[in-house]
Amino acid sequence: MRLGNKVALITGGSSGIGRETCLLFANEGAKVVVADVNDEAGNETVDSIHSGGGMATYIHADVSNSDDCKSMIDHAEKTFGSLNILFNNAGIMHSADDNAEVTDGDVWDLTMNINAKGVFLGCKYGIPALRRAGGGSIINTASFVALLGAATPQIAYTASKGAVLAMTRELAVVHARENIRVNALCPGPLKTELLMKFLDTEEKKQRRLVHIPMGRFGEAHEMAKAVLYLASEESSFVTGTEFVVDGGITAAYVTPEK
Ligand code: NAD
């Protein structure tokens, strides 16, 4: 068991990367706190873990809300005694997020509040808990779009993920001597609800696939495996990284023909 005796809190645990990570962590022995705003799906994640013999609890938490973030960390410590791993993963991609000229200020604010402030608030309340546990690992979900420019604009989303990377570096350096590691996960385009609701035709999918050397979208469970590495002792000397799991997209200049 790679996470035996560990307590892990995962935001966005009702769906996609978050859900797969909850299930994998539980299989690896972690006690899992699932935090999300989608209560029904969050409870389904917990039910799946229970039916596999694991330990898990659900808490409703909007990561853009300070009180909710404080409560989710308190809930982890009260329910399972401590907190060792914090996966700040919840995020949105707004359908009206476009180029700078047409994107509304409200779309910018909402995106930044969830994707960037949500990570800040998770860390604000989570770091003292990790310190009380003697250290731990934080993983923040960024994106490959924080590393590359895209001609399909989503200005608020891109900026929010850039903020996640910058925050991750600073947090890693500031807390390195407290045995708290902080890394960012940079997924490539994935076959999850978040992206597939926009790539709803074969033509739109193919337009994206042209840029991915592996010629396919990633799967949420492939991200979960990367997060497991960053959460576990196997990555004990890894901090402040942009951990890229993207099918080669950021390495490519020209991708291979079919
Ligand atoms: P998803 O939509 O399947 O899951 C996101 C989860 O976050 C949902 O359960 C949703 O209810 C929850 N959520 C949304 N707003 C919330 C809030 N305010 N508070 C708490 N929970 C909230 O998406 P996913 O693909 O699993 O995305 C997870 C993370 O990965 C996001 O940060 C996303 O930006 C990032 N990401 C996704 C892709 C991709 O292609 N899917 C690529 C790069 C990065």
Side-chain angles (χ1 to χ4, degrees):
M1 292 268 190
R2 292 159 75 183
L3 299 179
N5 294 323
K6 301 289 185 195
V7 178
L9 190 156
I10 295 165
T11 70
S14 296
S15 172
I17 300 174
R19 171 173 280 179
E20 289 297 327
T21 305
C22 288
L23 301 177
L24 182 62
F25 277 22
N27 272 337
E28 291 293 340
K31 295 166 192 153
V32 176
V33 180
V34 183
D36 207 292
V37 287
N38 184 341
D39 300 343
E40 196 183 330
N43 280 306
E44 279 168 23
T45 303
V46 168
D47 290 345
S48 300
I49 292 174
H50 285 164
S51 53
M55 291 175 78
T57 175
Y58 176 75
I59 182 159
H60 178 97
D62 174 352
V63 295
S64 66
N65 180 292
S66 187
D67 290 343
D68 282 10
C69 285
K70 187 174 183 314
S71 300
M72 73 183 183
I73 302 291
D74 288 347
H75 182 72
E77 287 190 304
K78 278 189 191 127
T79 309
F80 293 130
S82 63
L83 181 68
N84 311 103
I85 298 158
L86 172 62
F87 184 23
N88 290 308
N89 165 72
I92 59 157
M93 193 185 272
H94 200 288
S95 56
D97 190 0
D98 202 301
N99 65 39
E101 287 174 277
V102 302
T103 301
D104 198 83
D106 291 343
V107 170
W108 172 273
D109 289 344
L110 181 66
T111 303
M112 291 302 277
N113 280 339
I114 296 173
N115 294 8
K117 190 179 176 193
V119 171
F120 155 68
L121 290 173
C123 291
K124 180 177 177 62
Y125 299 109
I127 285 169
L130 294 185
R131 194 182 289 123
R132 283 190 284 277
S137 175
I138 299 176
I139 304 102
N140 300 323
T141 304
S143 170
F144 73 102
V145 301
L147 303 167
L148 287 177
T152 329
Q154 36 177 198
I155 191 79
Y157 185 82
T158 301
S160 73
K161 295 303 186 180
V164 172
L165 285 190
M167 258 191 289
T168 299
R169 280 190 288 269
E170 181 174 305
L171 287 159
V173 173
V174 168
H175 299 287
R177 302 221 174 172
E178 298 180 289
N179 197 29
I180 296 173
R181 298 183 297 107
V182 190
N183 290 287
L185 176 76
C186 291
L190 305 181
K191 229 189 244 175
T192 67
E193 173 69 18
L194 184 117
L195 184 62
M196 288 304 129
K197 69 176 180 231
F198 296 109
L199 305 186
D200 51 2
T201 65
E202 199 45 40
E203 195 193 337
K204 286 186 197 166
K205 286 193 180 80
Q206 287 305 326
R207 192 162 173 261
R208 284 291 176 97
L209 286 173
V210 161
H211 301 287
I212 308 174
M214 285 187 149
R216 66 171 177 87
F217 294 104
E219 302 278 354
H221 68 82
E222 294 176 301
M223 301 304 115
K225 286 179 186 157
V227 181
L228 173 61
Y229 166 71
L230 293 171
S232 76
E233 281 306 305
E234 288 156 30
S235 60
S236 54
F237 201 50
V238 180
T239 199
T241 62
E242 294 158 3
F243 201 84
V244 178
V245 188
D246 71 346
I249 198 167
T250 51
Y253 172 50
V254 177
T255 54
E257 302 283 333
K258 261 190 197 166

